[in-house]
Amino acid sequence: RYYIIQTGEGTVNDNLMELLIMISACKTASASRVTAVIPCFPYARQCKKDASRAPISAKLVANMLSAAGADHIITMDLHASQIQGFFDIPVDNLFAEPTQIQWIKENVPNWRGVVMVSPDAGGTKRVTSIADRLKLDFAIVHRERKSGNTVIGD
């Protein structure tokens, strides 16, 4: 049984290829099971079509990991839980929230007076969950992208 830990630090495509090659090498060397530990799943935000004939890159990554020989994937805080359905092998999606809550309690002075803020609508669910568990107030920042890199926030 082999565990390959790919941190995702650095260039995404280089790390992905390195992971695929390591999985394949383990299988070639007769490993009975290979588990890929991928805390930051590559292309996780590309999990659905935003236009006709657009690729679903997260599905392609899932296919490549399976084709390379991975038998099990352990990842963390997937952008969307539907990514687990892209695989034909077991996927464990771990959650960082309990550790984040503990860290806040231990490292943020006067944390009971903090207001949790979501930088955008996408993070609202996560922020409200943490705020609820800590019994804190929360806020949401509304942003609009007017054109190119121009962002307007309220």
Side-chain angles (χ1 to χ4, degrees), residues 78-151:
L78 284 172
H79 178 67
S81 58
Q82 72 206 32
I83 293 173
Q84 290 176 276
F86 294 165
F87 287 90
D88 295 326
I89 58 175
V91 176
D92 291 321
N93 180 29
L94 307 178
F95 298 98
E97 185 176 292
T99 305
Q100 291 170 331
I101 289 170
Q102 179 181 348
W103 188 92
I104 290 169
K105 288 179 176 180
E106 293 174 0
N107 296 286
V108 177
N110 303 316
W111 62 268
R112 286 183 173 88
V114 166
V115 174
M116 299 289 296
V117 179
S118 174
D120 55 33
T124 303
K125 188 174 181 180
R126 185 173 298 127
V127 165
T128 56
S129 177
I130 292 172
D132 287 347
R133 291 191 57 195
L134 290 171
K135 296 180 174 60
L136 298 174
D137 291 330
F138 67 91
I140 302 163
V141 175
H142 172 71
R143 296 187 304 180
E144 282 184 44
R145 189 170 298 278
K146 289 293 184 187
S147 64
N149 292 327
T150 304
V151 177

Side-chain angles (χ1 to χ4, degrees), residues 24-61:
S24 179
C26 288
K27 283 301 201 174
T28 301
S30 301
S32 60
R33 289 186 50 83
V34 177
T35 297
V37 181
I38 315 168
C40 186
F41 192 82
Y43 297 97
R45 292 183 61 107
Q46 297 177 8
C47 58
K48 60 185 174 190
K49 288 185 175 204
D50 58 357
S52 177
R53 298 185 184 189
I56 302 174
S57 301
K59 171 70 172 155
L60 177 60
V61 171

